[in-house]
Amino acid sequence: MKRIWQRALCAFLVFALLASAMPAPPTAVAATPETLSMQNDNIELTVSTKNGGFVVRTLEGDIITKDDNNKDLLYRRDQFDTSFASFLVTEGGRSTEYIFGNDYRYRGWTNKLSVTREQNGIRAVWTVNNLVFTQLLEPILNQASNAHGTVRISYSVENKTGTPINVKVRLLLDTALGEQDFAYYELAQGPTADESFICIEQEASLDESTDYLPANFFAYDDYLNPTTAAYTIFDQSAEGVRPYRLAFGHWNNLAATVFDFVPDDALTFTNPYNRRYLTADSAIAVYYELGSVATGSTSRQAATYYGVDSKVRVKDSDRVGITVTAPPGLKLNEAQDAYLQP
């Protein structure tokens, strides 16, 4: 009997040793989705959780036309890296360029990105080198808004460096209208109603110090018979930051620069046989000056609306829909014979 108990005890000890050597069963961890999306009946926004990159596309689009249904308005690829924001941060006379969501750990900088879906939008918070950049993408859900059908794209920066900084931001949007990777851009030449419009299809840059920067402009897919249009509208609220520069260019040229861009005015980006790239490909860049940001403070917010005019305010019984875009207020000059530029 004693020998039987000894054998049983040995067997028990061997089993215990084997059990302790076995790895613990894996703990189930919910996988982070690669993208987050929001939509209404007219437009859909998709954001990458890996780098904060995004695309915008129509669902219903403009309700009085069916030609723009289910069309991309920004170029789409798996990496979500063709439309992006970049920043020029100056600290103590030294300037550093950043691309939102990039991984800068190879420089020894802290690098963290968090992308979350909120009630009214998708927020991406990116922390790098003691700076906190926030990107907020908000589909305009209010059907009474003239911006319904667009996504509000905004940026701000919190300064945790310990010294004051100056911040500029550039938003690059890689225009695509459906399967077409370029667009014709049309914008007003001046602030008054009788000013003509210009069509831009060659690389160009407009600066507020020398040129008129409109409150909005649009891109369309065909010069003679447009079927899909994408609108760009700038924040005109009292606390909004107006852009100081607009740039239009071939995507390859614009994306090759992190911030500064020198246009090649001989390059036609709507021409698939252009001399540099042999592709038709266009993009726009919007520049904002956020100004000085004290340590421990957050900058003002720069915002751009991008999408379609959904025309949801047009009744089913209406035969015609007219889009009128105007500044929020008009003021006369001292001579009372002309309006001041908004």
Side-chain angles (χ1 to χ4, degrees):
M1 179 66 68
K2 184 178 178 180
R3 184 173 298 176
I4 295 175
W5 277 107
Q6 288 176 338
R7 289 177 180 175
L9 178 61
C10 290
F12 174 78
L13 292 174
V14 169
F15 176 79
L17 289 172
L18 290 174
S20 64
M22 294 176 62
T27 302
V29 177
T32 301
E34 293 189 354
T35 61
L36 297 175
S37 297
M38 291 190 75
Q39 67 181 56
N40 57 21
D41 292 338
N42 300 89
I43 202 162
E44 180 184 63
L45 163 71
T46 304
V47 183
S48 167
T49 59
K50 294 183 177 181
N51 60 13
F54 57 92
V55 294
V56 177
R57 69 186 293 265
T58 66
L59 297 175
E60 173 71 13
D62 182 339
I63 65 170
I64 68 173
T65 177
K66 298 302 180 186
D67 291 332
D68 70 345
N69 289 4
N70 302 304
K71 296 287 182 67
D72 283 334
L73 300 181
L74 293 174
Y75 186 77
R76 178 187 298 267
R77 76 174 197 158
D78 292 342
Q79 289 80 2
F80 287 82
D81 59 355
T82 65
S83 294
F84 57 88
S86 53
F87 300 84
L88 184 66
V89 178
T90 302
E91 178 184 358
R94 179 181 178 182
S95 295
T96 304
E97 296 176 331
Y98 300 89
I99 295 177
F100 187 91
N102 262 23
D103 189 344
Y104 289 105
R105 285 178 296 180
Y106 68 92
R107 294 188 179 184
W109 297 345
T110 58
N111 199 96
K112 180 182 178 182
L113 176 68
S114 172
V115 182
T116 56
R117 181 166 43 214
E118 301 178 348
Q119 182 176 359
N120 296 319
I122 299 175
R123 185 185 301 270
V125 179
W126 178 53
T127 303
V128 60
N129 203 22
N130 295 314
L131 298 168
V132 182
F133 299 90
T134 297
Q135 170 187 277
L136 182 58
L137 304 170
E138 302 169 285
I140 304 304
L141 305 178
N142 180 7
Q143 294 192 1
S145 170
N146 288 329
H148 185 268
T150 68
V151 174
R152 186 177 187 267
I153 308 165
S154 63
Y155 295 92
S156 61
V157 182
E158 182 183 359
N159 178 14
K160 293 185 175 182
T161 65
T163 58
I165 59 174
N166 186 275
V167 181
K168 295 181 179 180
V169 56
R170 184 187 85 171
L171 172 62
L172 187 153
L173 297 174
D174 185 6
T175 311
L177 301 176
E179 297 298 320
Q180 181 171 300
D181 195 16
F182 69 91
Y184 301 87
Y185 301 96
E186 190 157 302
L187 58 160
Q189 285 188 290
T192 59
D194 59 351
E195 293 284 353
S196 62
F197 284 74
I198 57 173
C199 177
I200 296 180
E201 54 180 315
Q202 292 178 309
E203 291 199 338
S205 178
L206 305 178
D207 190 279
E208 66 173 355
S209 63
T210 56
D211 304 291
Y212 171 70
L213 300 186
N216 55 77
F217 62 91
F218 63 94
Y220 49 93
D221 58 345
D222 189 286
Y223 186 76
L224 298 176
N225 184 32
T227 60
T228 303
Y231 290 79
T232 303
I233 307 170
F234 304 122
D235 189 354
Q236 298 295 297
S237 62
E239 66 276 7
V241 180
R242 288 182 60 85
Y244 69 86
R245 184 187 182 197
L246 297 178
F248 303 84
H250 196 285
W251 180 84
N252 290 75
N253 265 6
L254 269 171
T257 63
V258 176
F259 201 86
D260 291 324
F261 167 70
V262 178
D264 178 357
D265 57 11
L267 177 55
T268 302
F269 47 71
T270 60
N271 178 11
Y273 307 105
N274 64 73
R275 59 186 174 83
R276 291 190 63 177
Y277 300 109
L278 294 178
T279 59
D281 193 348
S282 70
I284 61 175
V286 188
Y287 290 79
Y288 292 93
E289 169 72 72
L290 300 186
S292 179
V293 185
T295 181
S297 299
T298 300
S299 71
R300 294 191 297 165
Q301 191 180 78
T304 302
Y305 296 80
Y306 184 79
V308 298
D309 180 0
S310 64
K311 296 188 177 69
V312 294
R313 298 170 302 281
V314 178
K315 302 182 182 68
D316 291 339
S317 58
D318 293 339
R319 298 293 298 276
V320 178
I322 299 175
T323 299
V324 177
T325 303
L330 295 173
K331 293 182 180 180
L332 290 169
N333 61 12
E334 291 185 6
Q336 303 282 303
D337 60 1
Y339 290 109
L340 296 175
Q341 178 175 332

